Amino acid sequence: MPDHPDQGGVLEVTCPCCETRLTVDPVSGAVLGSEKAAHARAGVDLKDAKRVLDQETARIHERYDQIVQTEKGRGAALDKLFKTHIEKAKDEPPPRPIRDIDLD
């Protein structure tokens, strides 16, 4: 695989923490280049601070609501799975306990 990003054969990865784009050689694992992401707050004037804070607050509340909905659905799915396993267990006889003599 070539070592240069413009020739292909490299991986472009975005860091989940700082959103920096990294160009990585898959063979050696070396980072060939990086581009820092532009921050949303860069270049914001103090006059726009309230608008920016409102937007971030709305984004946070939207993400929170999305997480709550996901967890509600997850709980219901786990309850259903638990009930099906309980029903299966009622039909099967309980397993015999393992005794020390069985292990010899």
Side-chain angles (χ1 to χ4, degrees), residues 16-50:
C17 299
C18 63
E19 297 180 2
T20 300
R21 291 186 62 193
L22 301 172
T23 305
V24 181
D25 180 17
V27 176
S28 66
V31 176
L32 302 175
S34 65
E35 288 180 27
K36 291 197 175 200
H39 291 288
R41 295 182 184 171
V44 175
D45 193 12
L46 286 178
K47 296 175 186 174
D48 298 330
K50 175 147 175 49

Side-chain angles (χ1 to χ4, degrees), residues 45-59:
D45 193 12
L46 286 178
K47 296 175 186 174
D48 298 330
K50 175 147 175 49
R51 181 182 52 81
V52 170
L53 286 175
D54 290 341
Q55 287 175 347
E56 287 189 24
T57 302
R59 183 182 57 83

